[in-house]
Amino acid sequence: MTSAPQGSTPPRRIVVIPTYNEAANVLRAIDAVLAAAPECHVLVVDDNSPDGTGALVQGHPHFGHGVHLLTRPGRSGLGGAYRAGFAWALDAGYDQIAQMDADLSHPPERLPALFAALAGPDRAGADIAVGSRYVKGGGVKHWGWHRRFISKGGNLYVRLLLGTSVRDTTAGFKAFNRASLEAIDVLDSESNGYSFQIENTWKATKRGLKVTEVPITFTDRTEGTSKMSGSIAREALSLVLAWRVAEWRERRAARRTTA
């Protein structure tokens, strides 16, 4: 990782991890983050998990000293959990904010590479770094052909409809400079599920932010239950189409006004 120049202050970094019934994974995820990026803090955003996920976080040796817990009243979507976590991190003054799943499908050992890709006061770089399965060096493990087909097809659908060059638009493993989160109005987004990931990437490219893709290997969870469902996938596909139609109408109205 690039060291800060003498006399400068290293960026304050935090990793936001949303959870619901992740008792089997949450402590392993926290420890893996702290091992890979010891300078980082961790914020677990728990949707009042009935399996005791929150209590496990509170019992972590570093709780209150780099490990934090934000408990929400109940389960209300991935997007809502991330918005709450990002708001907490921005209010607390963190400079760089990463997001990752609790099930260790995202490799914590790639966090240093994500943070290193971001622009800083001492170097050029990206506004947003995406942990990507679909660039050279990236990949997936323990997926059958059916899931690979759906994932790649969905990403192609998004790229074609929204006109973005980012290859892994549904990626949930990202790092942001705080100014980037503010520029894309992440706290005012409304989407949930995988559409939340798509929306943020699309807004970033629309607003001229530099998005770089860092290769990762995504490994399917081995503990707990996946939160992915058909309704979440359908929501993402329908919202992408709605965004494209709305954008087309806005451009058409702008042309008429100019004429």
Side-chain angles (χ1 to χ4, degrees):
M1 184 177 297
T2 304
S3 59
Q6 188 174 3
S8 69
T9 302
R12 295 185 67 219
R13 293 169 171 166
I14 192 167
V15 180
V16 178
I17 304 176
T19 58
Y20 183 76
N21 284 349
E22 291 290 357
N25 295 308
V26 68
L27 294 182
R28 293 192 302 134
I30 293 171
D31 288 342
V33 168
L34 297 179
E39 80 285 2
C40 285
H41 289 184
V42 177
L43 172 65
V44 175
V45 183
D46 186 59
D47 281 0
N48 201 21
S49 298
D51 72 346
T53 298
L56 289 173
V57 176
Q58 289 176 315
H60 192 278
H62 294 289
F63 182 70
H65 302 280
V67 174
H68 308 281
L69 174 67
L70 176 61
T71 303
R72 302 202 302 161
R75 191 176 181 185
S76 57
L78 181 70
Y82 272 129
R83 281 187 287 273
F86 290 157
W88 189 99
L90 290 170
D91 188 59
Y94 288 93
D95 304 303
Q96 296 179 340
I97 302 166
Q99 61 171 76
M100 63 172 279
D101 290 349
D103 61 10
L104 295 173
S105 55
H106 299 141
E109 64 271 17
R110 295 296 285 160
L111 280 168
L114 286 183
F115 284 123
L118 294 177
D122 59 321
R123 66 185 186 279
D127 299 298
I128 299 172
V130 175
S132 179
R133 299 162 290 186
Y134 300 128
V135 292
K136 185 177 181 180
V140 297
K141 285 184 179 180
H142 307 149
W143 274 14
W145 71 268
H146 184 256
R147 190 168 178 186
R148 291 173 187 263
F149 176 79
I150 291 175
S151 179
K152 287 190 175 183
N155 272 284
L156 178 61
Y157 169 85
V158 172
R159 292 202 309 274
L160 291 176
L161 228 60
L162 297 184
T164 176
S165 62
V166 177
R167 298 193 61 81
D168 199 346
T169 58
T170 60
F173 192 33
K174 295 187 177 87
F176 306 83
N177 278 324
R178 66 175 294 121
S180 305
L181 285 176
E182 293 167 343
I184 63 176
D185 297 323
V186 69
L187 302 186
D188 293 327
S189 64
E190 297 180 354
S191 54
N192 284 303
Y194 285 85
S195 54
F196 177 78
Q197 317 293 10
I198 298 167
E199 181 180 10
N200 290 334
T201 302
W202 175 53
K203 282 183 176 180
T205 56
K206 274 186 66 175
R207 295 176 189 185
L209 299 184
K210 183 178 180 181
V211 181
T212 190
E213 293 185 83
V214 175
I216 68 159
T217 298
F218 180 99
T219 304
D220 204 12
R221 69 161 63 229
T222 58
E223 300 286 347
T225 304
S226 173
K227 310 303 186 294
M228 183 61 176
S229 68
S231 62
I232 290 175
R234 288 191 294 273
E235 178 204 41
L237 295 176
S238 62
L239 277 175
V240 167
L241 179 59
W243 293 333
R244 184 65 185 92
V245 171
E247 187 178 48
W248 176 77
R249 287 175 175 170
E250 288 174 4
R251 289 177 178 175
R252 187 177 180 185
R255 286 195 297 268
R256 286 177 175 175
T257 301
T258 302

